[in-house]
Amino acid sequence: DDRKALLKKNCDGAAHEIREAMLADPSEWKEQVSDIMKEYAMGCNAHFILADSDGRIINKTYEADLIKEEVSKELLDEIDDDNYYVFDNFGGLTKESSHVCGVRFSANGPEYFIFAAAETSEDNDYIYNLFEVFAISAVIVLIIALVIEYFTTMKLTEPVKEIAELSKKIGKGDFDVTFPEYDTAEFEQLSTAFNEMAASLKSYDTMRNSFVANVSHELRTPMTSIGGFVDGLLDGTIPEGKRNEYLRIISSEVHRLTRLVKSMLNLAKIEAGELEPKMEKFSIIEVIVETLMTFENRIEEKQIEILGLDSPRIWLYADEGLVHQVVYNLIENAIKFVNKGGYIQFGFN
């Protein structure tokens, strides 16, 4: 369509200028017409032919000889007042099919015909050149895209590799690792999340170690008491008349040990949100007295006086096992740090 429009435009222009030249100089117009046709031929990259009403070729811009020296009468008859356009071999005039545009005009009486023809090979060359440029451009763009993709992928995978390596350290128990900051928002969020996770794991690890240490301490104390009383019964240190009393203490310690283990398990369940404390009503004085009997030997050895237990009975609504553990720890520490001949006093407000 572009070729057709260009040929029609130049064909009309050439016909107009040739007619003006014929009218201006009826005897010497052929030389001027030759220059006009060459000018238009160069302007639209086409060949021009000027023929008379009988089809004889008056002038042409073809450098090679044409197959025939005249335009067929059938081709001339098809040209009307509008621009004629056809796609063929110029009615057998050329070896190659062409875009052909023709215009009929009159000057000084006779009719003339001006034709503009462009071989299809030129279009093919143009299309080939177009595809060649496209192919080269596509290859260049593909290479550039691959290079950009390579460096982009490297930039994206480096943080992933770094995070993976640091995650392995966390998996091995090293919770002191710190994930770096990243320019990419997604990696920055991931780094922050991993840092928070590492901090939480470190906190849980500290709590676990503390829990194990506390459990070991809490279990060692009643076991020590039970072992001491049993040894006293076996070697005769404890008199025959007091055996039943100390057996009750050993039984109490065994029950306390059972409660302690159960409390530790329940504490883990409470922290996990799987168990609530067992709330019940009990006397705190009885818990204190029962715990003091456990430390009777150590109290007598250090000649410690116990004060403040003549208060009225005080009732609590709590988990008796957990409270018993707290009271036990307090009394044990008090006996450990009080001076010989000192006293331990209980106060209730």
Side-chain angles (χ1 to χ4, degrees):
D1 289 341
D2 291 340
R3 174 66 75 181
K4 176 181 177 180
L6 181 62
L7 290 177
K8 283 186 175 183
K9 179 181 178 182
N10 283 272
C11 203
D12 282 336
H16 176 73
E17 290 194 25
I18 291 172
R19 182 175 180 277
E20 293 296 324
M22 288 179 175
L23 294 175
D25 193 353
S27 59
E28 301 293 337
W29 53 268
K30 289 187 178 181
E31 186 176 347
Q32 298 181 41
V33 167
S34 179
D35 293 336
I36 293 171
M37 291 173 64
K38 289 179 180 178
E39 182 179 350
Y40 274 93
M42 292 177 62
C44 63
N45 194 24
H47 298 290
F48 279 80
I49 292 177
L50 179 63
D52 59 16
S53 56
D54 294 326
R56 292 189 298 270
I57 297 175
I58 302 173
N59 205 330
K60 63 179 181 179
T61 61
Y62 279 96
E63 296 180 357
D65 293 334
L66 299 173
I67 297 177
K68 297 188 294 184
E69 290 299 325
E70 60 181 20
V71 180
S72 65
K73 191 67 175 176
E74 291 79 7
L75 187 60
L76 296 180
D77 292 339
E78 292 182 11
I79 299 177
D80 52 19
D81 294 336
D82 295 329
N83 286 11
Y84 166 82
Y85 172 80
V86 70
F87 182 75
D88 64 5
N89 65 346
F90 219 132
L93 198 63
T94 60
K95 296 179 181 179
E96 186 180 351
S97 295
S98 304
H99 301 275
V100 181
C101 181
V103 175
R104 179 198 300 264
F105 67 94
S106 298
N108 297 321
E111 280 191 331
Y112 297 94
F113 298 87
I114 182 74
F115 294 95
E119 289 89 349
T120 55
S121 60
E122 296 181 3
D123 291 344
N124 294 335
D125 291 341
Y126 171 76
I127 294 173
Y128 175 79
N129 292 335
L130 184 65
F131 275 104
E132 187 179 40
V133 171
F134 174 78
I136 295 174
S137 301
V139 171
I140 294 174
V141 170
L142 180 61
I143 293 173
I144 294 174
L146 290 174
V147 172
I148 294 175
E149 182 182 5
Y150 173 77
F151 285 105
T152 303
T153 304
M154 291 295 294
K155 184 178 180 181
L156 291 175
T157 55
E158 281 299 324
V160 174
K161 293 178 180 178
E162 187 174 18
I163 291 175
E165 289 297 324
L166 294 176
S167 300
K168 290 179 181 178
K169 292 183 178 180
I170 293 178
K172 294 178 180 179
D174 183 6
F175 303 123
D176 292 324
V177 298
T178 302
F179 289 78
E181 297 181 357
Y182 297 102
D183 296 332
T184 307
E186 290 77 7
F187 284 120
E188 178 62 23
Q189 293 176 1
L190 186 62
S191 175
T192 302
F194 270 99
N195 281 329
E196 292 175 355
M197 180 189 69
S200 298
L201 291 174
K202 184 177 181 180
S203 175
Y204 283 124
D205 187 62
T206 303
M207 291 174 59
R208 180 181 62 82
N209 294 332
S210 176
F211 178 77
V212 171
N214 290 334
V215 167
S216 300
H217 174 73
E218 295 296 335
L219 293 178
R220 184 174 62 251
T221 302
M223 292 297 293
T224 302
S225 298
I226 293 172
F229 291 144
V230 170
D231 291 340
L233 290 172
L234 292 175
D235 60 17
T237 304
I238 298 176
E240 188 73 27
K242 290 188 176 182
R243 286 193 173 187
N244 289 336
E245 180 182 347
Y246 280 95
L247 286 174
R248 283 194 297 270
I249 295 175
I250 292 173
S251 177
S252 175
E253 282 295 280
V254 170
H255 288 299
R256 177 177 175 271
L257 185 61
T258 302
R259 288 197 305 270
L260 184 60
V261 173
K262 185 178 179 181
S263 297
M264 292 296 180
L265 296 175
N266 290 339
L267 184 61
K269 292 181 179 180
I270 291 172
E271 290 180 349
E274 299 176 357
L275 181 70
E276 294 182 357
K278 183 180 179 182
M279 309 299 287
E280 56 184 336
K281 186 178 180 181
F282 60 93
S283 172
I284 186 65
I285 298 294
E286 293 180 0
V287 173
I288 294 174
V289 172
E290 182 181 344
T291 306
L292 286 172
M293 290 181 64
T294 304
F295 294 100
E296 182 178 0
N297 287 341
R298 294 174 61 184
I299 292 173
E300 290 179 356
E301 289 176 1
K302 297 188 72 171
Q303 301 176 3
I304 299 172
E305 184 179 2
I306 305 300
L307 304 176
L309 292 181
D310 53 351
S311 300
R313 179 173 291 187
I314 298 174
W315 297 93
L316 294 182
Y317 183 71
D319 189 311
E320 185 176 358
L322 296 178
V323 173
H324 190 283
Q325 182 178 342
V326 173
V327 172
Y328 189 97
N329 291 338
L330 291 174
I331 293 177
E332 181 185 30
N333 289 330
I335 293 173
K336 183 186 298 183
F337 295 107
V338 70
N339 295 326
K340 186 174 182 179
Y343 66 91
I344 299 174
Q345 182 173 2
F346 295 89
F348 306 94
N349 296 322

